[in-house]
Amino acid sequence: MTPRPESSGSRPKGTAGEKIPEQPTAAQQKSAAKKTAVPKQAAAKKAAPAKATAKKAAAAKTTVGKTVAKKAATKKAAAKKTAVEQPAAGTATAKKAAAKKTAVKKTAAKKATTVKATAAKTTAVKAAAAKSTAGRSTAAQTVADKAVAGKSPAAKNTAKKVPAKKATAAKSAATSTTAAEAAAEKATPTKATARKTAAKKTATAKKTAPATSTVAESPAKKTTARKAPAGKPVAKKSAVKKAPARKTPTPKVPAGKAASAQVVPPEMEVAVSPAVDAVDRERLLAGTHHAPHSVLGAHPVPGGIAFRAFRPYALSVTVVSGELRAELHDDGEGFFSGLLPLREVPAYRLVVEYEGTVLETEDAYRFLPTLGDLDLHLIGEGRHEELWTALGAHPMTHDGVTGTRFAVWAPNALGVRVTGTFNFWDGTGHIMRSLGSSGVWELFLPDIGEGELYKFEITRPDGSKTLRADPMARRTEVPPATSSVITSSEYEWGDAAWLAGRTEAPAHEAPFSVYEIHLPSWRPGLTYRQLAEQLPGYVKNLGFTHVELMPVAEHPFGGSWGYQVTGFYAPTARLGTPDDFRFLVDRLHQAGIGVLMDWVPAHFPRDDWALAEFDGRPLYEHEDPLRAAHPDWGTLEFDFGRNEVRNFLVANAVYWCEEFHIDGLRVDAVASMLYLDYSREPGQWTPNEHGGRENLDAVAFLQEMNATVYRRVPGVVTIAEESTAWDGVTRATHHKGPSGFGGLGFGLKWNMGWMHDSLQYMSHEPVHRKYHHGEMTFSMVYAYSENYVLPISHDEVVHGKRSLVSKMPGDWWQQRAGVRSYLGYMWAHPGKQLLFMGQEFAQGAEWSEAHGPDWWLLDPGYGAEPDHRGVRDLVRDLNTVYRATPALWRLDTDPAGFEWIVGDAADDNVLAFLRLDPEGVPVLAVSNFAPVTRQNYRLGVPDDVPAWHEALNTDVARYGGSDVTNPDPVKPEPQSWHGRPASIRLTLPPLATVWLRPA
C-alpha cells in the first residue's frame, strides 16, 4: 500500500515561474464597492472569465443597468457609436482597453484546446459580497441572471444554475453600487462595436472592484504570487495544460457529445468553489455519506464544471478529456478538486499518481445507478425472483465501461464501503450510495473484474464498523478464509436433452431412487471436476435415478456437513469454482442422473462476518430474541415475515434450480420452521395472532417458495424433511385442509415415521419381532396422506446410531441378510427410496466426514470383499428391476396401487402385499424376517394370474445369501386363502425378501 502523502495545504503545486493572482481582502473589496458609480447604460449582461492565456487571467466585468426594458435600445444605439463617441474615461484609455481586448482574443484563438482551471478563490470575494445590502446584491444578481438567460442555449444551461430573484430589477439596480462588475460582453459577430464599448467601460471602471466579482484582478497587471489562506479553496498553479507528446487515449463519448470538452463562453460567471465542503468531507472520510455521487465526480455549477475526486494516498489527480488535461488541486486528505470553464460534463478519465506508479482509470463517481426503479420496487415488495442479478458483485459493461457493480441490502447502515484486493482492503475511497428507502447500497467500480476478493465495510447505527462477506456472493474463498470473490459464469451446458425429458412425468409418478452423497467425503480430495469423472459412472452402474447432495452452499465449519450456511448463493469453494460445480451437474445429467440438493432456509450461524446482525441490528434474523435463536443448534432463525428476507430465500431456491440446473431441493428442518414452540419450553415462545403455535410467517414463506419454484422451473421437485404430522405438506398451496391452512406445496416428503419404525423393528432380535410387528405395518395407515420418500439418510448412520448393517442383530451373515431383506422390503413399499453412501455395500463403521466411505472393503484383496460386493450387487439389481416395473412406482401415492396379502403374520415375521400399476398388473412382495426357511408357505393371490416367477430374491448366492430360491414358475391353486379365491405355495428363504410377477 502506498503511504498517504502529507497535505500540501491550500497552496497548489505548480510549475516554476507561475504565480497565483493575489486575492483582494474584504476591506479592499468593501472600499472598492463604495466607489462604484452606476453606469448610464440601460443594461448589460453579466459574464464570466473566459479563455486564459498561459500566465495571465482575463478579468471579465459586467455592467448592470436600471431596467431590462431599456437594454435592447441601449445596445442598438451603442452599436452605432464609434470609439471616440463613447462617454468613457478618455480616448487613450479606450484605445488601450480595445488593444488589450484584441490581444486576448488572438491569444485565445491560438490556444483553443487549452483551458485554464478556474481559480477557486471565491471565498474572500463571497465574504465581501455578503457585506453589501441585501437589496443591492439581489437586484444585481437578478439583472445578471436575466441577462445570461437571454443568451444562447449553451449559456442558458449554466445560467439556470443561479437562482433568479423576483425583486424589482429597475429599482434595485438604481441603488446598487455594483456597476463596476461589468466587463466586455462576448456577443454575436454583428455586435463588435458593442463589445468595444464594453471594453472601454472595463478600463474606466477597473478601479472599482465589484462586490460579487469572482475574478477581481485586472488583466493588464500581474499580481504577486502568494499562498492562499489555509482552509480556503485556491487556484491551481498549472491546473490545465496542453497534452504531452504522448497522447492519452480519448475516452468514449456518449452520442451527441463532442469529442473534446467545450470551453465556457465569457458570459458565464464563476460563482462557487469546487472543493468538497467540510460537512461532506467529514462524512466521506468517516464512511457515512449516503450520496457520494452527489459530491464527487463532475457536476455543472455556475462558472463551469466542478471536478472532485477522493483518492486517498494519491500524489496528484488529473482530469483527461480528449486533448484536455487539467490537474486538480490537492485539497488534502485525499481530496482533489478543480473548476473547469466547460459548458457540459465531458467524457473523461482520471490520471492518478501514487508514489511509484501512475494509473489511468474511469471515475467511479461519474456513473448513474446500475439498478433501476423496477429492481428496487421488487426488492422492497419482496418479489424480485431473480434477486441474484440485482444484488451482489457483477462484472458488467456500464455506459460502455467495463467494471463490477456492487450492491448490498443494509437498511440500518449509516454508510457502506467496498473493500478488497483492488484497494488493498482499504475502502476509504470506495463509498457506496444509498438508493433511497430500498435499503440498497450500490457502486459501480470501473476496471475491476473477476477473481478479485471483496467485502463490505458497514458503519453500524452506533458508528462502529463491521466487515462483512457479501450475502449474495456467488463465489467465496476456500474456508477458513471468508472473503467473497467476484465471478461470472461462461459455462456452456450440454444437458438440453435431460432438461426437456424431466418434464415428462411428475416425480411422484416416476421411478425415483436416490443415492445421498456428501461430496467432500465421497472420495476425499477430489474436486468437482474430478468427481465428475467418477461419480456419474458409479451411480449409473448402481441404477439410481438421482443423487442427493448434502448442502453444497458455502459453510465455514466442515463438521456441520454444510447445514450451517454462510454463503447461500455460492457452491463451496473447497471443491472448485461455481463453473466446476456446473460441470459436475452437467455430467450427471448427461449420464441420465438427476441432481437433488439439500437446501437450508431454517437457520444460519452467528459468525460475525456473515449474516448475524448484518448491518448492526437484527436484519436476516427475527428482532424478537425468542424468535431469533434456534434452541437446538445455537444458530439464528430467519425472519420469514420480512419481505426482503423472504425474497432472499425464495430467490435463492430459484437460483440453484435455474443457474445450476438442480432438479430438486430437499428442504432441511421444515418442522423447526413450522412451530413456534419447536424445542422450546412454555414461556419461551409467543403464540401467533390466533393463539396457536403455528409459525404463520414460515407457512407463507414455504408456500411462496414452492409455488415460485414450480412455476419458474418445470420438472423440478421440492422435498420436505418434516418429522411431524403437519397436515398438507405435499398438498397444493391453494387447497385448504382440515386445519384451515392451504397446503405447503412440496412435491415429496421424507417419511420419518416409516424410517424410525422400520429400523426399530429390524434392530430387534427375530424372536422378539413378533411383539413389534405393528412397527412394520403402521406406515400403511398413513402411506397416502402425503407423497412420501423412504429415507435411510446420513442422520441414521452417525453419532452412535451405527451403520445400517450394524443395526441388524445376529452374526455377520445374519446382519448382511437382514440388510438385504430390509432393502428388498423398502424398494417394494409405497414411496420413493433414498440410501446414504456406504450403506450400498454394507459398511460396518459409522460415516465420518473426515474420511468418507470405507472403499477398501471393496478391494479384491480384502478377504470379506465378496460379502460387501454382494450387497452392492443387490442394490444394483433392486434399482434395475424397480425401474423396469411400473407397479413399483407408478401409483406410489394412490391407494389403488397397493393391496395387503397378509399383514398380521406376526408369529411368522412375514409380510406380503401386492403392488399394482394403472393397468392392474401386479407384483407380489414377500418378506420373511425370521432366520428360518419356511417351506410351502401358502399365500392368497388373485385368480387371474396363471403363474408367478421370481423377479428378485435377496437370498441368492451372488448376494451372499443361502441361495434358497423358487426357480420354477409357481402356479396358483384353486384354494382360497387370505380372503382370495386362489393361493400359491412358496419356499421363503431365511431373512429374505422375494419379488414375484406374472410369468
Side-chain angles (χ1 to χ4, degrees):
M1 184 187 299
T2 53
R4 184 190 298 271
E6 292 184 6
S7 171
S8 60
S10 57
R11 170 68 170 92
K13 297 188 295 293
T15 57
E18 288 189 323
K19 298 180 179 180
I20 294 183
E22 208 172 305
Q23 188 165 349
T25 65
Q28 289 173 331
Q29 289 179 327
K30 184 174 181 181
S31 175
K34 291 180 179 179
K35 297 178 182 180
T36 303
V38 179
K40 295 181 180 180
Q41 289 179 304
K45 295 186 177 179
K46 183 178 177 183
K51 302 179 183 176
T53 62
K55 294 182 179 179
K56 298 179 181 180
K61 301 179 180 180
T62 306
T63 305
V64 296
K66 293 183 178 180
T67 63
V68 178
K70 295 181 181 180
K71 178 176 60 177
T74 303
K75 283 189 176 180
K76 185 174 180 181
K80 296 180 180 179
K81 293 182 180 181
T82 63
V84 179
E85 295 171 332
Q86 296 301 318
T91 303
T93 304
K95 287 182 179 180
K96 185 176 180 181
K100 286 183 194 176
K101 182 68 176 181
T102 304
V104 171
K105 290 169 64 177
K106 288 181 179 180
T107 302
K110 291 179 181 179
K111 300 191 176 185
T113 60
T114 304
V115 297
K116 182 78 173 177
T118 305
K121 303 190 319 176
T122 60
T123 305
V125 179
K126 284 184 178 178
K131 294 181 181 180
S132 301
T133 63
R136 289 188 313 189
S137 59
T138 301
Q141 188 63 53
T142 301
V143 177
D145 289 346
K146 291 184 178 180
V148 174
K151 292 288 179 183
S152 64
K156 287 181 182 178
N157 289 337
T158 304
K160 67 183 181 180
K161 302 292 181 181
V162 182
K165 305 292 183 180
K166 298 208 171 181
T168 306
K171 181 177 179 180
S172 298
T175 59
S176 174
T177 60
T178 60
E181 234 177 337
E185 177 186 358
K186 181 174 179 180
T188 60
T190 59
K191 298 188 178 181
T193 307
R195 287 199 300 270
K196 291 180 181 180
T197 301
K200 292 176 184 177
K201 292 210 172 276
T202 299
T204 303
K206 70 179 183 178
K207 293 182 180 181
T208 56
T212 59
S213 173
T214 306
V215 181
E217 292 80 21
S218 168
K221 180 181 178 182
K222 281 189 181 180
T223 58
T224 303
R226 67 185 181 93
K227 193 168 184 178
K232 296 185 179 181
V234 297
K236 205 58 178 140
K237 272 167 67 177
S238 180
V240 184
K241 54 187 174 183
K242 282 274 193 178
R246 181 175 149 215
K247 301 256 183 183
T248 302
T250 304
K252 293 183 181 179
V253 182
K257 292 190 177 181
S260 60
Q262 298 184 37
V263 179
V264 167
E267 297 95 339
M268 299 178 66
E269 178 193 5
V270 177
V272 298
S273 166
V276 176
D277 67 35
V279 174
D280 286 326
R281 186 180 180 116
E282 181 180 354
R283 292 174 64 198
L284 290 169
L285 286 169
T288 58
H289 206 296
H290 71 285
H293 293 70
S294 68
V295 178
L296 303 177
H299 299 276
V301 297
I305 304 298
F307 290 85
R308 305 183 189 97
F310 183 31
R311 294 281 173 161
Y313 315 116
L315 301 179
S316 69
V317 176
T318 301
V319 173
V320 178
S321 179
E323 294 186 358
L324 168 68
R325 294 179 67 87
E327 183 181 348
L328 301 182
H329 171 245
D330 185 349
D331 298 329
E333 295 186 289
F335 290 94
F336 298 83
S337 65
L339 185 58
L340 301 185
L342 307 175
R343 283 198 178 102
E344 57 186 9
V345 176
Y348 69 94
R349 292 171 67 84
L350 298 178
V351 176
V352 186
E353 179 186 359
Y354 295 96
E355 185 175 343
T357 187
V358 176
L359 301 176
E360 182 172 339
T361 182
E362 297 284 349
D363 184 358
Y365 295 95
R366 79 172 182 84
F367 296 95
L368 293 173
T370 55
L371 293 177
D373 290 341
L374 179 58
D375 284 315
L376 300 179
H377 174 74
L378 292 175
I379 290 171
E381 284 198 336
R383 293 290 184 271
H384 203 306
E385 295 175 1
E386 296 181 359
L387 187 66
W388 67 92
T389 65
L391 301 182
H394 290 269
M396 63 188 304
T397 299
H398 182 46
D399 286 349
V401 176
T402 58
T404 296
R405 185 269 312 286
F406 297 90
V408 63
W409 179 59
N412 298 311
L414 295 182
V416 184
R417 300 191 284 205
V418 182
T419 180
T421 50
F422 44 85
N423 58 19
F424 302 98
W425 296 101
D426 183 349
T428 305
H430 288 153
I431 310 103
M432 304 180 76
R433 65 176 145 209
S434 171
L435 299 182
S437 61
S438 66
V440 175
W441 299 76
E442 181 265 0
L443 180 64
F444 175 74
L445 289 183
D447 306 322
I448 303 299
E450 289 192 61
E452 298 278 7
L453 307 183
Y454 72 98
K455 283 187 176 181
F456 295 115
E457 181 189 82
I458 297 175
T459 303
R460 301 182 179 105
D462 64 0
S464 63
K465 298 188 185 304
T466 180
L467 201 60
R468 298 291 175 138
D470 184 0
M472 302 292 298
R474 290 168 295 132
R475 183 181 173 189
T476 68
E477 278 190 289
V478 178
T482 60
S483 295
S484 305
V485 183
I486 299 173
T487 188
S488 64
S489 176
E490 302 297 332
Y491 188 77
E492 295 184 6
W493 290 90
D495 62 348
W498 168 265
L499 296 181
R502 74 181 182 182
T503 61
E504 292 177 357
H508 63 277
E509 295 179 358
F512 196 92
S513 60
V514 182
Y515 183 58
E516 187 185 24
I517 305 168
H518 179 252
L519 280 179
S521 68
W522 186 75
R523 296 279 193 184
L526 296 188
T527 65
Y528 290 127
R529 289 186 177 268
Q530 291 169 336
L531 285 164
E533 300 303 320
Q534 298 187 31
L535 183 60
Y538 182 81
V539 176
K540 185 175 183 179
N541 178 264
L542 288 181
F544 287 98
T545 65
H546 291 75
V547 294
E548 180 177 313
L549 310 179
M550 289 169 67
V552 174
E554 193 59 271
H555 48 282
F557 176 49
S560 75
W561 311 333
Y563 290 99
Q564 294 192 11
V565 179
T566 50
F568 281 81
Y569 284 78
T572 180
R574 293 171 174 86
L575 307 181
T577 69
D579 275 355
D580 292 340
F581 179 61
R582 288 181 174 93
F583 181 79
L584 172 60
V585 175
D586 201 0
R587 284 298 185 90
L588 286 164
H589 282 171
Q590 292 176 36
I593 301 164
V595 181
L596 311 175
M597 187 188 83
D598 280 11
W599 185 57
V600 192
H603 63 125
F604 59 92
R606 296 174 178 266
D607 298 74
D608 60 5
W609 50 269
L611 297 182
E613 292 193 351
F614 182 74
D615 59 2
R617 291 179 182 169
L619 188 65
Y620 289 91
E621 66 270 38
H622 203 283
E623 63 182 0
D624 181 354
L626 294 179
R627 295 279 297 275
H630 199 293
D632 287 347
W633 304 308
T635 53
L636 296 170
E637 297 183 9
F638 283 101
D639 182 359
F640 301 111
R642 184 161 189 167
N643 287 347
E644 297 89 346
V645 175
R646 188 178 67 249
N647 194 171
F648 174 80
L649 293 171
V650 171
N652 186 244
V654 175
Y655 169 76
W656 289 104
C657 295
E658 291 190 353
E659 291 292 320
F660 294 94
H661 292 196
I662 297 297
D663 300 291
L665 300 173
R666 177 264 193 185
V667 183
D668 182 65
V670 171
S672 72
M673 302 164 65
L674 291 176
Y675 297 97
L676 295 171
D677 63 345
Y678 184 87
S679 289
R680 293 178 173 89
E681 298 299 326
Q684 296 180 339
W685 61 281
T686 304
N688 63 31
E689 61 192 57
H690 305 296
R693 65 192 187 112
E694 299 85 3
N695 187 337
L696 303 182
D697 293 335
V699 171
F701 156 67
L702 292 170
Q703 291 174 328
E704 181 181 345
M705 181 277 296
N706 282 310
T708 304
V709 168
Y710 278 109
R711 171 171 50 82
R712 288 187 61 106
V713 196
V716 301
V717 61
T718 58
I719 307 167
E721 186 215 14
E722 205 283 314
S723 56
T724 72
W726 183 279
D727 175 56
V729 173
T730 58
R731 190 171 61 237
T733 57
H734 59 284
H735 289 165
K736 290 188 177 181
S739 63
F741 290 106
L744 296 183
F746 284 95
L748 298 169
K749 173 185 174 178
W750 274 19
N751 194 334
M752 310 295 284
W754 172 90
M755 178 269 299
H756 178 271
D757 290 344
S758 62
L759 289 179
Q760 184 72 17
Y761 174 87
M762 294 301 297
S763 68
H764 294 301
E765 290 286 346
V767 69
H768 298 143
R769 284 176 179 167
K770 64 181 179 180
Y771 303 111
H772 301 275
H773 195 75
E775 292 174 353
M776 292 296 272
T777 60
F778 181 67
S779 61
M780 291 311 304
V781 174
Y782 60 87
Y784 301 104
S785 62
E786 302 282 3
N787 304 334
Y788 282 116
V789 174
L790 311 178
I792 301 299
S793 72
H794 63 276
D795 277 328
E796 307 314 312
V797 296
V798 291
H799 299 329
K801 295 181 180 179
R802 298 174 295 173
S803 69
L804 183 60
V805 71
S806 297
K807 294 177 190 292
M808 306 298 160
D811 59 21
W812 175 233
W813 187 93
Q814 288 183 331
Q815 285 181 316
R816 288 183 292 117
V819 166
R820 293 194 303 268
S821 62
Y822 181 74
L823 292 176
Y825 161 78
M826 172 181 172
W827 253 253
H829 191 283
K832 311 306 180 182
Q833 296 78 38
L834 179 141
L835 188 65
F836 184 61
M837 64 182 192
Q839 312 316 303
E840 77 273 17
F841 56 83
Q843 173 178 312
E846 286 188 342
W847 167 65
S848 166
E849 78 279 358
H851 64 261
D854 292 333
W855 295 109
W856 57 270
L857 296 174
L858 297 172
D859 188 335
Y862 175 60
E865 181 267 343
D867 297 343
H868 298 281
R869 178 169 42 82
V871 176
R872 189 176 67 173
D873 289 344
L874 170 64
V875 171
R876 179 190 302 110
D877 290 349
L878 283 170
N879 278 323
T880 300
V881 177
Y882 167 79
R883 296 178 74 167
T885 310
L888 294 175
W889 45 264
R890 184 67 176 80
L891 297 177
D892 265 334
T893 60
D894 189 337
F898 178 90
E899 293 179 9
W900 277 113
I901 296 296
V902 55
D904 57 356
D907 290 340
D908 298 335
N909 295 349
V910 172
L911 293 168
F913 52 83
L914 293 174
R915 296 297 309 279
L916 304 161
D917 69 11
E919 286 71 40
V921 178
V923 169
L924 174 60
V926 185
S927 294
N928 175 23
F929 292 117
V932 296
T933 301
R934 301 192 183 280
Q935 302 286 347
N936 296 318
Y937 196 84
R938 186 176 292 276
L939 295 169
V941 293
D943 59 358
D944 57 351
V945 177
W948 301 82
H949 73 89
E950 282 189 357
L952 183 140
N953 185 329
T954 67
D955 191 51
V956 298
R958 66 192 185 91
Y959 301 149
S962 58
D963 208 26
V964 175
T965 65
N966 296 276
D968 300 321
V970 180
K971 295 184 179 181
E973 300 174 359
Q975 181 177 352
S976 62
W977 203 259
H978 294 140
R980 305 243 173 210
S983 60
I984 58 174
R985 288 183 296 170
L986 295 174
T987 298
L988 301 183
L991 295 174
T993 294
V994 179
W995 293 355
L996 299 100
R997 57 187 176 188

